[in-house]
């Protein structure tokens, strides 16, 4: 966190100054480790074993927060008889189809019920509920992030055992699943010595419960794996068992990859989402608004109101053209026929199936997995538009990229027409960031952009305006979705920059009288409200830009509700009902956050209660209750159908209801826990430039004996577009370097300050050598293992130049969210600079041959 | 406040300075960048140094804040694995809420990564100021030492005079350059750019007397927490430069950071040297006179 969020890290230092214990778990010793109380090095790719070890520790030692677990999690829920755990089946759960490489989740259901996922693969049930028998293509359509979380109980009552003893209750299933994740196993898999593991476990347990809470912070070190989502799930189980969710000083904080990536999923730039995590409709037959709502809404919980959210969104986009008669222009929305995720798009480009590409503040030639594949894919386009501050590698690969040097691409033969449009920086435009705390912070233009540089807002608005002008008067129904859009945003200044405030006002929404809305609870399904994103409803309440507020800390409460605006409803801590016990009293005075005031008949406290404000703790729903009314007074997790934190996930995830240790796609180790080596449901893409390496004891694995991990430095930002062209930053970290231990340097003849060549089945790069004790060798599975570290920011352009570590990585993805596994792979490293020209490719082929790599290597389930 | 007696300000504000608490430095280098941006200091070298994460290498004409990165082993006693190794570098004590246990220690002590933002010390007895023949270097009303670039003639006398090796000449224009303690910002009541940018308040700016008190409290606090290696550097008015206007809290010997352990203002011995030279000259003159007188008789 000190490396990647130095300004945010000041709060960790503040907590430390007040007595908090800071534990840093990371394969390398970073600037965070230097300030932490404890650094726990582990083998990259082994965190589920570590977290599973902590879960097992907590369960075996009865160290869980019992009252919290019984009342607020689904620990007591009884599962159906058909469920078979990975523990009983060599590492694979029941319902796996090896042909399709996917799971049918029906055997994971609660006994007697069908549960709709509120997040994850919601549409898995569409087939069951609306259409006739069809093989579900939904996995491929990637409904991963839709809808947040939770599910709908369609019929029946949940069966549960509050004594947690029933053999099929979630608690017992959990215990059996993690029984072999002992401290000894953690040491064997992760390389963490047992006494160090115990230090962490005891500290965590000691600092959880009524009086103390502990928080986990993670970033892409956890998500960029073929089991990335399961990493987060493991932390979620652990924190739920310890009673740390929904409580001050607790929780799991996702530290994001850039300043507004939260915003980029809220108002999405993802192909499968509409604003507010409504799913993009799928091209099922006869799909209309009713069918869409029926498939995706739930009967209990707040997703039951998705019709209100959806209709209001359609009204924001199509205004008066959207009427009840035409289902509010629902048919204008584009439809999914499969996945259009970034890596699927790249594969389609390679196959010649896509013509054009917009890259807006994105540099895949450096920043995406298998950077060479990215460049080769772009060479298949008809046209490419790049918007950035400088001529990034994704704009110049066609004339000076690595493949021109090797001869794999010839500039004159590349037919792609490349447009470069300079972009304005955040200081040159109005706009907002949404950070990991769901906090919107508006920023104001300090100076107009120079020359031809323009903001993304300007570009999008004026592009749309010009297209509409060209289409004006058309009678083709295909043009109506564009012509019927409300596109009358005001502009300002000499450059006709659209007013960002007008847009945020539309996102927040208004009623039929044009009055700004205050809360998503005001949204209606009859067309009387418009709202560009239901979770952001209220950011412009009272006609005031709430996101622009900056009241200093000293002038308000410690929750600081008047700094910016957090969605939803300016609530700062989600699920905060869980900060009070089942009677509505805080678990302790020290950790009081929100509580029930019986005299007032309301929830009150330091934050906006994340609960129906007048729902008493002892509330029981009447029979047949639907939506939020179906949740009881002790259901803090209001986005879930059953109102509970899900220790076990009956539906919504592609790769299992419980996190399970699988080795990364490429690993020098075999999985000691199960015969199943890797995530059976992981997503692979076959291509001759995306060859995979053998692992474990497969022949040829010894050719790539060193685990490799990629990461970031404070001085640079992502793929370098914002930093490698800035002299003051470039000089701080001017060249690509690799980090190796003195022992590895001795073993491979690497010299500090000299060059190293690093090879995988995809490509070979060179880097300066940094020999450091901060990369400590680990003892894993009875032998010493050395890890190689590579910061990934570099490319051949700009002031700070170097090879790109993503040339080494492969496209192997988490199946839920299609995120690349660049945090744990395997490589060889040797002294000296890499070959130039065609010899570079020859070296890669030589390695492939030595390792016996074919087009099927590594692709087995 | 002896330094202000040497200058001639009426109603001078209290002496201002820096206290850099390296125990909370996270090595982010915001100070280096903020300084360069505010003062338009040029980029001065795009090469990999191999000096841990320090590619800046040192203070100079074009680097006025420099973050050092020192990877070494702390001075705790050789380990038996029952000994806890948590807490700040050098700390031998367990934090009260961490149970005892082992860590990745070996016999050489716990791995530590010291990070420290170095800067011009704005000495009480500033040798650069003493030797400047043009009056370009002067003492401001805030007690800081500043080069007036429109007067500096590039003679370079100040360069070897500095006991810390801070001030230096720009090769392309010949003049001497160094940290100004953001004189222009102080004049309008703002703090220096580096102090403003520092996210953890490692760089603290304020009245020097107040900073010295705060620093002593911080060292005492660290000692109470078992961080015995914590010590102040440059805080003592009795030291060889009369104490620094920019002083530090360090977690190791000054040499570990590349700082001189006992800096002395290079002009300190000048009065004594002149006296001796004068005595020698007198002695010589007396000898000549005596010889000439003796001749007569």
């Amino acid at each position: 966190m000190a490396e990647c969020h130095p300004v945010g890290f000041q709060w960790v230092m503040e907590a430390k100054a007040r007595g908090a214990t800071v534990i840093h778990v990371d394969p390398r010793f970073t600037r965070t480790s230097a300030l932490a109380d404890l650094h726990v090095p582990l083998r990259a790719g082994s965190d589920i074993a570590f977290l599973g070890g902590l879960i097992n520790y907590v369960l075996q030692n009865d160290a869980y927060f019992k009252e919290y677990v019984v009342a607020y999690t689904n620990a007591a829920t009884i599962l159906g008889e058909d469920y078979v755990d990975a523990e009983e089946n060599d590492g694979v759960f029941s319902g796996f189809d090896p042909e399709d490489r996917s799971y049918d989740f029906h055997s994971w259901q609660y006994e007697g019920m069908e549960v709709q996922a509120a997040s994850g693969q919601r549409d898995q049930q569409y087939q069951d509920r609306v259409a006739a028998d069809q093989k579900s293509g939904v996995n491929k359509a990637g409904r991963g992030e839709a809808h947040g979380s939770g599910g709908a109980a369609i019929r029946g009552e949940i069966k549960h055992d509050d004594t947690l003893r029933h053999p099929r209750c979630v608690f017992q299933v959990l215990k059996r699943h993690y029984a072999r994740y002992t401290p000894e196993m953690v040491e064997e898999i992760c390389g963490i010595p047992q006494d160090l593991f115990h230090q962490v476990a005891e500290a965590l347990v000691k600092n959880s419960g009524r009086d103390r809470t502990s928080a986990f912070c993670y970033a892409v070190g956890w998500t960029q794996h073929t089991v990335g989502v399961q990493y987060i799930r493991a932390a979620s189980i652990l924190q739920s068992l310890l009673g740390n969710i929904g409580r001050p000083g607790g929780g799991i904080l996702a530290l994001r990859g850039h300043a507004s990536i939260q915003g980029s999923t809220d108002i999405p730039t993802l192909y499968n989402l509409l604003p507010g995590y409504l799913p993009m409709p799928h091209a099922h037959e006869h799909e209309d608004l009713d069918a869409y709502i029926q498939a995706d809404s739930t009967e209990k919980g707040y997703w039951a109101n998705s019709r209100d959210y959806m209709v209001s969104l359609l009204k924001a986009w199509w205004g008066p053209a959207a009427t009840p008669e035409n289902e509010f222009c629902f048919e204008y929305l584009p439809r999914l026929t499969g996945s259009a995720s970034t890596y699927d798009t790249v594969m389609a480009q390679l196959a010649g199936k896509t013509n054009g590409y917009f890259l807006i503040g994105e540099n895949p030639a450096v920043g995406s997995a298998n950077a060479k594949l990215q460049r080769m894919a772009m060479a298949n386009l008809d046209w490419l538009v790049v918007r950035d501050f400088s001529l990034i590698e994704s704009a110049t690969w066609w004339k000076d990229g690595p493949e021109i040097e090797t001869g794999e691409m010839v500039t004159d033969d590349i037919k792609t027409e490349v447009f470069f449009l300079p972009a304005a920086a955040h200081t040159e435009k109005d706009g907002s960031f949404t950070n990991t705390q769901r906090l919107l912070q508006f920023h104001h233009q300090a100076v107009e952009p120079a020359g031809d540089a323009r903001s993304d807002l300007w570009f999008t608005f004026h592009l749309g305006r010009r297209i509409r002008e060209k289409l004006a008067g058309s009678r083709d129904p295909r043009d109506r979705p564009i012509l019927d859009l409300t596109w009358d945003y005001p502009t300002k200044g000499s450059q006709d920059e659209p007013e960002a405030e007008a847009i945020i006002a539309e996102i927040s929404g208004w009623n039929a009288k044009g009055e700004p809305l205050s809360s998503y609870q005001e949204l209606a399904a009859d067309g009387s409200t418009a709202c560009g994103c239901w979770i952001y409803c209220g950011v412009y309440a009272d006609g005031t830009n709430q996101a622009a507020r900056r009241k200093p800390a000293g002038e308000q409460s410690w929750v600081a509700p008047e700094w910016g605006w957090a969605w939803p409803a300016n609530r700062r801590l989600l699920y905060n009902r869980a900060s009070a016990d089942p009677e509505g009293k805080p678990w302790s005075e020290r950790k009081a956050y929100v509580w029930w005031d019986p005299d007032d008949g309301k929830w009150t406290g330091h934050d906006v209660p994340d609960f129906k404000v007048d729902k008493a703790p002892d509330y029981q729903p009447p029979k047949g209750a639907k939506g939020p009314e179906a949740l009881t007074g002790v259901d803090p997790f209001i986005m879930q159908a059953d109102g509970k934190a899900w220790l076990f996930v009956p539906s919504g995830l592609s790769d299992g209801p419980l996190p399970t240790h699988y080795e990364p796609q490429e690993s020098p180790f075999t999985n000691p826990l199960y015969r199943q080596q890797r995530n059976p449901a992981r997503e692979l893409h076959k291509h001759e430039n995306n060859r995979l390496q053998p692992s474990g004891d497969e022949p040829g694995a010894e050719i790539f004996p060193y685990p490799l991990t990629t990461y970031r430095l404070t001085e640079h930002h992502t793929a370098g577009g914002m930093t490698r062209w800035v002299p003051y930053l470039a000089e701080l970290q001017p060249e690509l370097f690799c980090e190796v231990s003195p022992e590895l340097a001795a073993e491979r003849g690497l010299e500090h300050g000299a060059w190293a060549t690093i090879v995988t089945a995809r490509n070979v790069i060179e880097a300066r050598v940094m020999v450091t004790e901060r990369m400590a060798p680990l003892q894993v599975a009875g032998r010493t293992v050395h890890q190689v570290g590579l910061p990934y920011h570099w490319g051949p352009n700009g002031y700070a130049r170097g090879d790109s570590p993503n040339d080494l990585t492969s496209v192997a993805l988490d199946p839920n969210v299609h995120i690349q596994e660049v945090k744990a792979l395997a490589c060889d490293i040797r002294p000296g600079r890499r070959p130039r020209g065609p010899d570079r490719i020859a070296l890669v082929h030589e390695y492939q041959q030595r390792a016996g790599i074919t087009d099927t290597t590594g692709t087995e389930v | 406040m002896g330094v202000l007696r040497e200058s001639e300000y009426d109603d001078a504000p209290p002496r201002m300075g820096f206290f850099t608490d390296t125990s909370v430095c996270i090595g982010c280098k915001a100070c280096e960048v903020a300084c360069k941006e505010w003062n338009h200091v040029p980029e001065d070298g795009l090469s990999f140094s191999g000096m841990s994460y320090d590619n800046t290498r040192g203070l100079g004409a074009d680097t006025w804040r420099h973050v050092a990165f020192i990877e070494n082993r702390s001075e705790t006693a050789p380990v038996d694995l029952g000994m806890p190794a948590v807490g700040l570098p050098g700390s031998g004590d367990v934090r009260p809420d961490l149970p005892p246990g082992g860590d990745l220690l070996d016999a050489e002590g716990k791995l530590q990564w010291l990070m420290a933002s170095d800067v011009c010390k704005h000495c009480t007895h500033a040798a650069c100021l003493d030797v400047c023949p043009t009056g370009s270097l002067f003492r401001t009303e805030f007690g800081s030492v500043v080069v007036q670039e429109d007067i500096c003639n590039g003679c370079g006398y100040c360069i070897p005079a500095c006991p810390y090796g801070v001030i230096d000449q720009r090769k392309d224009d010949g003049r001497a350059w160094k940290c100004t303690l953001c004189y222009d910002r102080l004049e309008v009541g703002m703090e220096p750019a580096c102090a403003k940018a520092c996210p953890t308040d490692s760089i603290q700016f304020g009245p020097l007397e107040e900073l010295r008190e705060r620093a002593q409290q911080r060292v005492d606090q660290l000692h109470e927490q078992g961080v015995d290696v914590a010590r102040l550097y440059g805080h003592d008015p009795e030291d060889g430069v009369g104490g620094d206007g920019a002083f530090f809290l360090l977690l190791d010997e000054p040499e570990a950071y590349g700082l001189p352990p006992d800096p002395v203002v290079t002009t300190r011995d000048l009065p004594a040297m002149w006296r001796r030279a004068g005595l020698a000259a007198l002695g010589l003159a007396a000898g000549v006179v005596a010889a000439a007188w003796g001749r007569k008789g």
Side-chain angles (χ1 to χ4, degrees):
Chain A
M1 191 176 175
E3 293 286 342
C4 304
H5 300 266
V7 177
F9 194 75
Q10 69 182 289
W11 304 117
V12 176
M13 295 302 288
E14 182 71 34
K16 202 177 157 198
R18 297 182 194 197
T21 302
V22 178
I23 299 176
H24 184 226
V25 183
D26 198 299
R28 54 178 191 133
F29 187 106
T30 71
R31 282 171 268 205
T32 306
S33 325
L35 277 302
D37 294 301
L38 196 59
H39 173 236
V40 181
L42 85 173
R43 177 169 64 97
S46 66
D47 299 61
I48 291 180
F50 174 63
L51 292 167
L54 290 172
I55 292 170
N56 188 45
Y57 178 93
V58 165
L59 293 173
Q60 296 301 332
N61 290 286
D62 284 329
Y64 54 97
F65 189 164
K66 185 148 202 217
E67 300 100 307
Y68 183 106
V69 168
V70 172
Y72 297 158
T73 75
N74 67 357
T77 305
I78 297 170
L79 302 178
E81 285 176 340
D82 293 339
Y83 174 70
V84 178
D85 189 87
E87 195 55 14
E88 305 159 79
N89 194 27
D90 271 329
V92 179
F93 294 94
S94 49
F96 187 68
D97 177 354
E99 287 289 307
D100 201 42
R101 305 176 74 115
S102 69
Y103 278 106
D104 176 315
F105 62 93
H106 284 98
S107 62
W108 307 344
Q109 298 298 293
Y110 295 165
E111 185 173 86
M113 306 190 58
E114 177 201 326
V115 191
Q116 170 73 297
S119 81
Q121 311 287 352
R122 283 187 71 82
D123 213 46
Q124 285 173 348
Q125 268 134 348
Y126 182 89
Q127 306 290 351
D128 298 350
R129 285 161 119 209
V130 176
D133 291 357
Q134 286 176 48
K135 191 131 176 125
S136 172
V138 170
N139 257 2
K140 315 219 166 33
R143 307 296 293 262
E145 303 85 351
H147 267 197
S149 65
I154 307 301
R155 34 188 166 282
E157 291 296 313
I158 293 175
K159 297 193 172 62
H160 53 97
D161 171 16
D162 289 350
T163 69
L164 306 183
R165 287 207 292 265
H166 190 291
R168 272 185 288 115
C169 79
V170 164
F171 186 82
Q172 293 299 332
V173 169
L174 195 68
K175 242 185 159 167
R176 288 194 297 275
H177 181 83
Y178 288 110
R180 287 190 298 139
Y181 290 65
T182 59
E184 292 78 16
M185 187 57 77
V186 170
E187 184 167 46
E188 178 172 338
I189 295 177
C190 310
I192 299 173
Q194 291 184 47
D195 37 20
L196 186 56
F197 172 81
H198 276 112
Q199 266 193 297
V200 177
E202 285 161 29
L204 188 55
V205 161
K206 201 163 158 217
N207 287 288
S208 307
R210 280 178 182 265
D211 289 300
R212 303 189 72 81
T213 53
S214 296
F216 277 68
C217 300
Y218 74 91
V220 296
W222 267 7
T223 59
Q224 288 177 346
H225 296 272
T226 46
V227 285
V229 168
Q230 298 292 351
Y231 269 52
I232 315 311
R233 275 276 304 135
S236 176
I237 293 172
L238 185 56
Q239 287 290 68
S240 300
L241 289 174
L242 292 170
N244 278 327
I245 306 281
R247 304 190 56 212
I252 303 169
L253 290 78
L255 305 172
R256 311 309 299 263
H258 72 64
S260 200
I261 209 159
Q262 180 66 48
S264 82
T265 54
D266 295 343
I267 312 276
T269 57
L270 297 181
Y271 75 98
N272 59 337
L273 290 183
L274 291 171
Y277 301 94
L278 293 163
M280 190 72 77
H282 198 266
H284 294 288
E285 286 184 22
H286 314 303
E287 176 135 14
D288 57 18
L289 180 61
D290 285 339
Y292 170 84
I293 298 293
Q294 187 176 357
D296 285 306
S297 78
T298 72
E299 290 216 344
K300 295 183 185 172
Y302 278 86
W303 280 113
N305 297 332
S306 29
R307 187 184 287 269
D308 302 335
Y309 314 149
M310 187 59 171
V311 170
S312 301
L313 175 68
L314 295 168
K315 285 298 285 183
W317 287 7
W318 284 290
T323 66
E325 291 71 38
N326 63 23
E327 295 199 317
F328 303 102
C329 295
F330 177 76
E331 64 163 6
Y332 285 177
L333 289 171
R335 298 291 197 271
L336 295 177
T337 54
S339 171
S341 168
T342 185
Y343 291 103
D344 283 304
T345 300
V346 168
M347 301 313 292
Q349 290 170 352
L350 287 165
K353 290 193 200 148
T354 30
N355 307 102
Y357 206 23
F358 284 94
L359 287 178
I360 303 186
E362 178 100 8
N363 192 10
V366 169
S368 291
N370 201 337
K372 175 177 180 155
L373 207 66
Q374 308 287 330
R375 296 186 291 264
M376 300 193 89
M378 287 192 274
N380 267 6
L381 296 165
D382 293 339
W383 55 268
L384 169 68
V385 176
V386 180
R387 279 185 43 86
D388 217 299
F389 306 132
S390 313
L391 286 169
I392 54 174
E393 289 79 4
S394 298
T396 69
W397 50 270
W398 54 274
K399 61 185 178 93
D400 56 20
E403 288 70 43
I404 305 297
E405 188 212 282
T406 60
E408 288 163 290
M409 286 206 254
V410 177
T411 301
D412 284 343
D413 296 343
I414 296 171
K415 298 191 178 55
T416 314
E417 193 172 356
V418 182
F419 300 87
F420 181 82
L421 303 175
H426 68 283
T427 46
E428 296 169 331
K429 54 190 181 177
D430 288 343
S432 65
F433 293 124
T434 305
N435 74 11
T436 186
Q437 197 207 351
R438 300 159 283 106
L439 185 70
L440 280 76
Q441 295 177 95
F442 200 82
H443 59 82
H444 296 99
Q445 183 185 49
V447 60
E448 278 198 325
D452 289 334
R454 294 290 184 274
S455 69
D456 296 328
L457 199 52
W458 184 98
F459 174 74
T460 313
F461 172 70
H462 288 285
L463 181 66
R465 181 182 58 73
R466 293 191 198 194
I467 290 174
R468 284 157 57 87
E469 281 163 16
K470 284 183 185 287
L471 295 177
S474 163
R475 291 191 188 285
D476 189 341
R478 185 188 157 163
D479 296 333
R480 295 255 50 91
I482 302 236
L483 290 172
D484 286 346
L485 283 170
T486 57
W487 205 251
D488 51 351
Y489 303 103
T491 61
K492 64 170 184 175
S494 66
Q495 297 173 353
D496 293 325
E497 172 77 5
E499 288 268 16
E501 283 225 12
I503 290 157
I504 208 172
E506 180 183 88
I507 286 171
S508 179
W510 46 67
N511 60 20
K513 297 196 223 118
E515 295 161 338
L517 299 172
S518 305
S519 147
Y520 62 83
Q521 285 158 338
E522 295 172 60
L523 296 175
D526 60 1
S528 62
T529 55
C531 173
C533 179
W534 72 276
I535 53 178
Y536 281 28
C537 187
V539 68
Y540 215 74
D542 307 320
T544 305
N545 187 347
Q546 310 283 336
R549 298 180 303 168
R550 292 290 188 278
K551 191 176 231 180
E555 293 172 30
Q556 52 176 323
S557 80
W558 60 275
V559 171
E562 289 181 78
W563 180 286
W565 185 90
W567 68 260
N570 202 26
R571 185 173 293 126
R572 300 299 166 122
L573 207 159
L574 292 183
Y575 306 126
N576 55 36
R577 164 71 182 89
S579 68
D581 64 21
E583 277 86 52
K585 295 194 294 291
W587 292 107
S588 66
E589 267 320 294
R590 198 168 175 275
K591 291 286 173 176
Y593 196 72
V594 307
W595 53 86
W596 174 253
D597 182 342
D599 300 320
D600 230 7
K602 286 211 183 102
W603 287 92
T604 184
H606 300 303
D607 191 2
V608 176
D610 195 6
F611 209 62
K612 191 152 183 298
V613 76
D614 55 1
K615 179 182 288 189
D618 58 5
Y619 169 81
Q620 289 294 325
K623 250 191 155 53
K626 295 220 174 138
E629 275 66 46
L631 296 173
T632 74
V634 292
D635 288 335
F637 294 90
I638 56 170
M639 299 306 290
Q640 308 292 103
D642 55 1
K644 305 298 182 201
W646 280 9
L647 301 176
F648 180 98
V649 173
S651 100
L653 294 178
S654 310
D655 53 356
L658 289 172
T660 306
H661 172 71
Y662 297 117
E663 288 291 321
Q665 173 59 46
E666 290 171 351
S667 163
F669 296 93
T670 42
N671 191 341
L673 279 167
Y674 319 101
R675 198 154 48 141
Q676 182 62 35
Q677 168 80 1
R678 310 169 175 99
N679 184 351
R682 72 201 184 282
E683 191 181 310
L684 297 175
H685 292 274
K686 261 193 188 174
H687 192 275
E688 66 169 330
N689 290 113
N690 194 38
R691 289 286 176 254
L692 302 170
Q693 294 156 199
S695 288
D697 49 19
E698 295 161 17
E702 72 283 358
I703 302 299
F704 303 99
Y706 305 110
L708 171 70
T709 188
T710 62
Y711 43 81
R712 305 179 194 208
L713 303 166
T714 309
E715 296 84 346
H716 283 297
H717 187 56
T718 61
M722 287 179 76
T723 58
R724 279 188 287 113
W725 279 261
V726 179
Y728 293 155
L729 295 173
E731 64 174 333
L732 299 177
Q733 294 283 13
E735 295 184 50
L736 172 66
F737 59 94
C738 60
E739 298 192 283
V740 296
S741 65
E743 293 84 352
L744 176 57
E747 186 174 298
R748 295 307 269 161
L750 307 170
E751 204 186 299
H752 179 76
W755 289 89
T757 293
I758 303 143
V759 198
T760 67
R762 272 74 54 191
N763 214 331
V764 53
I765 65 169
E766 63 184 15
R768 303 296 294 272
V769 177
M770 173 89 75
V771 178
T772 169
E773 290 188 67
R774 291 179 292 103
M775 294 295 284
L778 300 174
Q779 295 304 313
V780 172
R783 61 184 216 250
T784 304
V785 62
H786 298 293
Q787 304 189 92
V788 176
L790 275 171
Y792 85 106
H793 309 285
W794 276 272
N797 299 4
Y799 292 114
R801 292 190 284 267
D803 282 350
S804 303
N806 265 318
D807 276 10
L808 299 175
T809 58
S810 72
V811 177
L813 313 176
D814 172 294
N816 298 291
V817 292
H818 320 293
I819 289 290
Q820 66 275 12
E821 183 163 73
V822 294
K823 286 290 172 175
L825 49 151
C827 72
D828 187 23
I829 185 168
R830 36 202 267 179
R833 303 196 70 159
R834 63 160 167 82
R836 263 59 192 155
D839 291 340
R840 183 179 185 180
I841 312 307
L843 182 63
V844 177
H845 286 151
E846 180 203 307
Y847 266 84
Q848 288 179 350
Q849 275 179 324
R850 282 171 54 208
I853 290 174
T854 69
D855 62 350
T856 57
T857 306
T859 64
E860 45 288 299
V861 153
Chain B
M1 284 298 151
V3 63
L4 288 178
R5 271 186 247 121
E6 296 171 33
S7 47
E8 289 163 5
Y9 292 105
D10 300 323
D11 297 324
R15 184 176 176 193
M16 306 298 277
F18 284 130
F19 164 45
T20 302
D21 179 358
T22 70
S23 72
V24 296
C25 175
I26 60 174
C28 71
K29 307 179 191 171
C31 52
E32 291 195 31
V33 177
C35 170
K36 288 215 179 190
E37 286 196 331
W38 181 263
N39 295 295
H40 294 152
V41 178
E43 163 260 302
D44 63 341
L46 292 167
S47 67
F48 176 77
S49 71
M51 289 162 56
S52 188
Y53 279 12
D54 174 7
N55 291 297
T56 304
R57 302 168 197 258
L59 294 173
D62 293 330
T63 294
W64 302 353
R65 266 280 175 191
H66 157 240
V67 182
F69 289 79
I70 318 294
E71 296 178 37
N72 64 12
R73 297 253 163 202
S74 73
E75 286 174 358
T76 43
V79 182
D80 71 69
L81 277 183
M83 183 160 172
V86 297
L88 284 167
S91 140
D93 278 357
V94 65
R95 283 188 66 99
D97 47 339
L98 262 180
D103 191 354
L104 286 189
L105 289 183
D106 57 29
E108 297 153 24
K110 181 173 166 234
L111 178 64
Q112 63 182 13
W113 204 4
L114 306 172
M115 297 175 291
S117 179
D118 193 14
V119 72
C120 168
K121 313 299 176 292
H122 296 276
C123 310
T124 301
H125 301 308
C128 62
L129 182 59
D130 285 348
V131 307
C132 176
T134 62
S136 165
L137 277 151
F138 77 106
R139 177 85 58 186
T140 73
E141 65 270 36
F142 299 102
S144 53
V145 178
V146 172
V147 185
Q148 296 169 90
E149 302 298 347
D150 52 346
I151 296 173
C152 174
N153 69 356
C155 74
Y157 285 179
C158 55
I159 316 300
C162 174
Y164 298 100
V166 171
I167 194 166
D168 202 357
Q169 274 171 300
R170 274 188 189 159
K171 301 244 173 326
D172 54 353
D173 87 358
R175 293 176 288 178
W177 299 79
K178 72 172 193 69
C179 163
T180 65
L181 239 180
C182 281
Y183 189 29
D184 52 348
R185 291 175 66 97
L186 301 205
E187 281 184 309
V188 293
M190 290 161 72
E191 60 181 327
C194 55
K196 180 123 184 106
C198 178
T200 57
D201 258 357
S202 172
I203 300 175
Q204 296 174 36
F205 170 77
L208 191 59
E209 222 175 86
E210 195 185 297
L211 291 177
R212 283 176 178 169
E213 275 167 29
R214 218 190 283 166
Q216 190 55 51
Q217 282 167 14
R218 174 62 178 157
V219 169
D220 293 340
Q221 181 190 49
L222 285 170
H223 288 169
E224 264 166 64
Q225 289 172 6
V227 186
D228 298 321
V229 288
R231 88 280 308 274
L232 295 178
Y233 174 82
H235 62 297
D236 183 2
E238 302 299 310
D239 73 16
V241 295
D244 290 329
F247 69 102
F248 300 79
L249 188 154
L250 304 178
L251 296 173
D252 204 333
E253 300 293 321
E255 294 93 317
Y257 294 87
L259 293 166
D262 182 21
V264 170
V265 56
T266 43
T267 52
R268 179 188 64 179
D269 296 329
L270 270 181
M273 286 159 65
W274 279 118
R275 274 199 298 279
R276 280 192 219 112
L279 270 170
L282 265 164
L284 183 60
V288 165
V289 165
W293 200 260
R295 279 273 216 59
K296 270 181 146 204

